Amino acid sequence: MSAQKEPEFGKLTSFEKDFKTYQKDSTANAIVLFEKGRDHFEVLGRKIRLIKEYHVKIKILKKEGFDKANISIPYFHKDGLTEIVENVSAITHNTDSKSFVLKNKIYTSDVSENWSEKKFAFPNVQEGSILEYQYKLVTPYMFNLTGWVFQSDIPKIHSEFTAEIPGNYVYNRTLMGSLELDINESTVKKRCFHIEGYATTGDCEVIKYGMKNIPAFKEAENYMLAPSNYISKIEFELSEFKGFNGVRKEYTKTWKDVDKEFKADKDIGRQLSKNAYFEKNVPQELFIEPDELIRAKEIYEFTKDYFTWNKKYSIHQNSRVKDAFEKKVGSVGEINLSLINLLNTSNIKAEIMLMSTRENGLPKKAHPVMSDFNYLVAKAEINGVSYLLDATDKENPFGMLPYRCLNYYGRVMDFKNGSYWYNIIPEEKNQNLIRGMVSLNLENERIEGSFNSIQTGYYAVEKRKDIKALSLEEYLIKIEDSFSNEVNVFDYELQEKNSDEKRISEQFKFELEMENVENELYLNPFFIKFFTKNPFILDKRNYPIDFGYKRSFKYQLYIKVPEGYNLKTLPQNSHIVLGDNSGYLRLLYEEKYGVITVLFDFSIKKSHYPSDYYDPLKEIFKNAGNAQKNSLIVLEKT
């Protein structure tokens, strides 16, 4: 049985009255039984307005879902124009009663300079209540026909969106997410739109999109890009307006159009033509080195050291490289435009690459949406090899983008040959390696050992940030905190000869007290754990897993069996491999000549995995965590 498609406000169907539990998601605290939006155009007071109507029924399944009783309806206003929220009605349906939200309990409050909201709370909410409300929003902004979001943080039985769009307005449409439409209809309604004073009456396209039994979108704690990439929705973007008077206005451009605008933009041109200024104001030795790659690295290091990033992402708009250079402080755009200027001044080809950060979502490839981009890096061509450079992070090596930038692709603005998409390839070698030797001092009842810790790639970047930010004493405390037990770390050495910008090598000794020195000794060999809990906690995940970069963890330990003891038991060896050999976990425990070898080798060999890898990844991380937490070596007295 399914919910009715055209319910009358204030009346419940038998399906809705009888609905008790949702077997497809027993964890749901609330569920949308029915949801509908309708967008259409009207002429009000000789002005065209977009009308957005909304109607929803929400069933409260558990007390944890009571927060769904607090409703906020935002609306926009700017420069004398304002959206209007009207005809707000709301009812709490309980088994034997209805409680209406009174008009004097609907409040208006300002959120910011351009945003306000209508707010109200449903009365008499209890487990089993059905919360029903509807409203109408009248907007002068035609851009506000933005589409429909089917998926939310609670499941939905039925969600549909209809729109009547006059032929004057052309919208691009994009279906996002992994779910498919159950309803996808389009018809033409003749002579539906007329503006007084014009003889012509326009036809309308009438569309209906819908989905049924929509699972909740449960946002993961780890390893995902922006949720906006994956939530199932249909997006509209105004592409063109054709007036009855013959005037046409295009809103969506091609990349050729964007390229022309960039070339003609005097502001961008000014920011990219500071060669003479930089040549005059930076050390001339930056431009002397004959080797292009070495010269580029020196310019990159100079730019990183010279500027301090103000944490602002502003790209080409409002970027002032000369002001930033004089203040030694700048935004992403100002710092990386300065880098591009310096590289070009040194006769190294460098161009703008527009991109979007991980939390901002993926830029659409079908057509340019400039608001999709919030970041700018340099793309340099040196001896036939391309390098992506971001000088905002002082510890980031040449050719490595910060983690926030690892978002698949960007758009290179080549003013000579036309812009193009360019893939972001993360650093390949990112390893966290710990090697050590441990002995058991039975006389003093202490465990004594030494560790060599090596981090490469992104792990080395984070390690170097810690080393720079902390005093030696603070840093040693942080190392001690990484141990499972209370420990004393000493004789620390940063091995500079074995380190570089993409590699950090450290060595230190440690000691800790042994517990219960008796006939049998119990020892968990994982003194340092790479992670203490499984990062994957959802039962199901229907969107990709994104690590950002490949990664590996290796722990290799040698334990000397003390005199008077023999090995009794070792943990079990195991070898787990992900499909397509895209990752593995190898656990090896063995004893030879009085020395126990422990090997933990865990490798994630892809940056991105499709959603059907979620369960195998969850399982392999579970095994990795259990190995570190529960491995036990038992020695017995001879």
Side-chain angles (χ1 to χ4, degrees):
M1 192 173 185
S2 61
Q4 290 183 5
K5 293 184 179 181
E6 299 293 343
E8 182 181 344
F9 183 80
K11 291 188 177 181
L12 301 180
T13 66
S14 56
F15 168 82
E16 292 161 350
K17 290 176 183 177
D18 296 338
F19 192 95
K20 303 296 182 187
T21 60
Y22 189 52
Q23 293 182 348
K24 293 185 177 181
D25 185 358
S26 61
T27 66
N29 299 322
I31 186 170
V32 172
L33 299 175
F34 180 88
E35 179 186 46
K36 181 175 181 178
R38 176 175 177 260
D39 288 9
H40 61 283
F41 293 78
E42 291 184 13
V43 179
L44 302 174
R46 300 180 61 85
K47 294 180 179 178
I48 301 173
R49 292 293 181 259
L50 172 63
I51 313 298
K52 301 172 72 70
E53 298 174 358
Y54 182 74
H55 180 194
V56 67
K57 297 177 183 179
I58 304 169
K59 176 86 173 186
I60 303 300
L61 300 174
K62 303 175 186 177
K63 62 183 179 181
E64 290 82 4
F66 284 4
D67 60 336
K68 298 301 177 187
N70 300 312
I71 306 300
S72 170
I73 306 168
Y75 61 96
F76 187 76
H77 45 81
K78 186 178 181 181
D79 298 334
L81 287 178
T82 184
E83 296 180 326
I84 299 170
V85 177
E86 58 187 27
N87 299 347
V88 180
S89 301
I91 305 172
T92 303
H93 297 269
N94 288 315
T95 305
D96 300 316
S97 65
K98 292 182 182 182
S99 301
F100 293 82
V101 175
L102 302 177
K103 299 299 181 184
N104 62 0
K105 295 296 183 180
I106 301 174
Y107 305 100
T108 302
S109 62
D110 294 328
V111 178
S112 65
E113 181 181 355
N114 299 120
W115 284 96
S116 299
E117 63 182 356
K118 296 280 187 182
K119 297 197 303 183
F120 63 89
F122 282 93
N124 302 325
V125 177
Q126 54 192 259
E127 289 185 19
S129 295
I130 294 177
L131 313 181
E132 181 182 20
Y133 72 97
Q134 67 179 9
Y135 67 88
K136 181 164 74 172
L137 184 143
V138 181
T139 175
Y141 305 107
M142 300 304 109
F143 293 98
N144 209 359
L145 201 165
T146 53
W148 187 254
V149 180
F150 291 102
Q151 208 168 17
S152 71
D153 61 341
I154 60 174
K156 299 179 180 181
I157 298 294
H158 184 99
S159 179
E160 71 175 60
F161 171 72
T162 63
E164 293 184 11
I165 305 174
N168 312 66
Y169 295 92
V170 180
Y171 289 84
N172 293 322
R173 301 160 205 181
T174 307
L175 181 64
M176 308 285 288
S178 61
L179 304 180
E180 296 182 357
L181 293 169
D182 292 303
I183 303 170
N184 184 1
E185 300 172 0
S186 177
T187 58
V188 175
K189 185 177 181 180
K190 294 290 186 180
R191 304 176 61 81
C192 74
F193 189 68
H194 177 74
I195 300 175
E196 190 176 340
Y198 291 91
T200 308
T201 299
D203 298 338
C204 292
E205 180 188 17
V206 181
I207 57 172
K208 179 188 281 191
Y209 300 118
M211 290 185 183
K212 299 176 182 179
N213 297 313
I214 306 163
F217 183 85
K218 297 181 180 179
E219 187 172 332
E221 291 182 344
N222 297 284
Y223 305 131
M224 66 178 293
L225 298 180
S228 59
N229 295 318
Y230 310 123
I231 290 176
S232 289
K233 58 189 173 183
I234 190 155
E235 290 188 343
F236 281 61
E237 184 187 20
L238 184 58
S239 171
E240 184 182 4
F241 173 73
K242 296 176 283 189
F244 288 131
N245 58 1
V247 175
R248 298 167 66 98
K249 184 174 182 180
E250 292 186 352
Y251 293 92
T252 300
K253 302 175 175 66
T254 66
W255 276 110
K256 285 186 178 181
D257 297 328
V258 173
D259 292 348
K260 288 178 183 177
E261 289 182 9
F262 259 71
K263 285 181 185 179
D265 191 312
K266 294 180 180 178
D267 188 48
I268 296 171
R270 278 198 297 268
Q271 304 312 311
L272 286 174
S273 60
K274 301 293 184 184
N275 297 24
Y277 173 81
F278 281 108
E279 194 168 8
K280 180 181 177 182
N281 287 279
V282 302
Q284 291 303 297
E285 51 265 31
L286 277 179
F287 309 123
I288 294 173
E289 168 61 48
D291 186 287
E292 268 198 12
L293 183 57
I294 295 175
R295 191 164 75 246
K297 288 182 176 181
E298 288 176 350
I299 290 171
Y300 176 72
E301 291 300 324
F302 170 83
T303 309
K304 280 198 307 178
D305 294 341
Y306 185 87
F307 285 101
T308 297
W309 179 34
N310 60 15
K311 304 301 180 183
K312 293 181 180 178
Y313 280 9
S314 57
I315 47 177
H316 51 280
Q317 301 97 337
N318 303 317
S319 292
R320 297 292 179 266
V321 297
K322 185 176 176 181
D323 292 345
F325 187 83
E326 291 172 355
K327 295 175 182 176
K328 297 187 177 182
V329 176
S331 65
V332 165
E334 289 163 338
I335 293 173
N336 287 331
L337 284 170
S338 297
L339 174 62
I340 292 169
N341 272 289
L342 283 167
L343 290 169
N344 286 327
T345 301
S346 185
N347 295 317
I348 295 171
K349 182 182 178 182
E351 296 164 319
I352 292 172
M353 187 169 97
L354 299 176
M355 56 173 299
S356 175
T357 52
R358 291 174 65 86
E359 75 275 8
N360 193 58
L362 290 166
K364 297 175 189 65
K365 280 192 169 183
H367 51 270
V369 181
M370 299 312 293
S371 59
D372 283 354
F373 299 96
N374 70 331
Y375 211 89
L376 177 159
V377 299
K379 179 182 176 291
E381 192 79 19
I382 304 167
N383 300 324
V385 179
S386 295
Y387 299 87
L388 298 180
L389 306 174
D390 179 0
T392 62
D393 192 325
K394 293 187 181 298
E395 303 307 326
N396 228 59
F398 184 90
M400 271 180 67
L401 294 181
Y403 180 72
R404 60 181 171 270
C405 295
L406 302 183
N407 199 26
Y408 285 80
Y409 51 80
R411 187 81 181 185
V412 179
M413 305 309 294
D414 184 337
F415 296 142
K416 183 178 179 181
N417 301 308
S419 65
Y420 57 92
W421 294 108
Y422 187 81
N423 289 335
I424 297 168
I425 308 297
E427 171 66 26
E428 289 279 328
K429 298 178 181 179
N430 307 283
Q431 186 179 49
N432 194 339
L433 168 64
I434 297 173
R435 289 190 296 230
M437 174 73 77
V438 164
S439 60
L440 309 180
N441 187 332
L442 300 183
E443 183 178 351
N444 296 322
E445 297 188 354
R446 303 191 71 77
I447 298 173
E448 299 168 346
S450 62
F451 274 151
N452 177 217
S453 174
I454 298 172
Q455 279 81 32
T456 63
Y458 284 98
Y459 292 113
V461 171
E462 293 307 310
K463 177 70 74 171
R464 198 174 291 280
K465 287 179 181 179
D466 284 343
I467 292 171
K468 291 284 181 70
L470 302 174
S471 67
L472 178 59
E473 182 180 358
E474 291 170 331
Y475 185 64
L476 292 184
I477 290 174
K478 184 164 186 175
I479 292 177
E480 291 174 348
D481 289 343
S482 69
F483 277 74
S484 303
N485 303 95
E486 190 170 334
V487 67
N488 177 39
V489 170
F490 58 98
D491 287 354
Y492 170 84
E493 179 190 359
L494 174 61
Q495 299 177 307
E496 294 285 3
K497 289 184 178 180
N498 297 325
S499 302
D500 57 35
E501 61 180 0
K502 292 185 179 181
R503 175 187 170 98
I504 293 276
S505 180
E506 305 168 290
Q507 189 167 306
F508 55 87
K509 295 179 180 179
F510 67 94
E511 60 180 13
L512 68 155
E513 292 183 4
M514 291 182 65
E515 296 180 3
N516 303 322
V517 179
E518 295 176 353
N519 290 332
E520 289 189 343
L521 302 179
Y522 299 90
L523 183 69
N524 183 332
F526 291 94
F527 297 100
I528 293 178
K529 297 177 175 61
F530 294 117
F531 35 84
T532 57
K533 61 181 182 179
N534 194 335
F536 301 113
I537 59 174
L538 299 178
D539 291 332
K540 291 184 179 180
R541 178 163 160 172
N542 58 5
Y543 49 91
I545 300 92
D546 191 290
F547 290 96
Y549 53 83
K550 301 174 185 178
R551 55 194 65 202
S552 65
F553 309 88
K554 195 169 185 179
Y555 183 90
Q556 193 167 4
L557 185 68
Y558 301 97
I559 305 169
K560 186 177 180 182
V561 178
E563 290 186 17
Y565 282 81
N566 286 328
L567 174 66
K568 183 178 180 181
T569 58
L570 281 174
Q572 189 173 358
N573 295 338
S574 66
H575 191 193
I576 302 171
V577 180
L578 290 174
D580 298 329
N581 196 30
S582 60
Y584 63 83
L585 171 64
R586 186 160 68 103
L587 298 166
L588 175 66
Y589 307 89
E590 63 179 11
E591 186 265 343
K592 285 184 180 179
Y593 310 113
V595 176
I596 299 169
T597 299
V598 176
L599 176 64
F600 173 99
D601 190 4
F602 184 28
S603 180
I604 298 296
K605 296 165 70 174
K606 288 185 177 181
S607 301
H608 323 289
Y609 290 84
S611 59
D612 56 1
Y613 272 75
Y614 180 70
D615 286 340
L617 281 167
K618 184 178 179 180
E619 185 65 21
I620 200 170
F621 269 89
K622 176 185 174 182
N623 280 276
N626 287 341
Q628 295 173 95
K629 183 179 179 181
N630 300 320
S631 292
L632 199 63
I633 295 172
V634 182
L635 305 176
E636 63 180 355
K637 206 166 189 177
T638 57

